[in-house]
Amino acid sequence: MDIEELTKKIDAKQLRTEAKKRGIKASCVKKIDIAKQLPREVLEKLASETK
């Protein structure tokens, strides 16, 4: 899966929480922009947790 497909499966709130943990700016930013800055492993983990 590519980043766009993974991002569609993940809730924005989850992405913002993970970004804040890693010191990535999460306000006034689109979901896809946050996802591009996060490690792929994190995205895959969040996508697998989402039903």
Side-chain angles (χ1 to χ4, degrees):
M1 272 189 212
D2 61 347
I3 292 176
E4 289 83 13
E5 291 175 10
L6 289 171
T7 305
K8 288 179 184 179
K9 293 182 178 184
I10 303 169
D11 185 42
K13 187 173 182 178
Q14 291 176 314
L15 277 177
R16 292 183 197 284
T17 303
E18 289 297 322
K20 287 180 183 179
K21 287 180 185 177
R22 289 164 174 75
I24 299 170
K25 180 182 175 189
S27 61
C28 300
V29 181
K30 295 179 184 177
K31 274 176 60 171
I32 190 70
D33 294 330
I34 296 171
K36 287 179 181 178
Q37 295 179 38
L38 289 171
R40 183 157 184 98
E41 296 82 28
V42 173
L43 295 176
E44 290 173 352
K45 179 183 170 207
L46 291 173
S48 67
E49 291 175 355
T50 305
K51 294 179 181 178

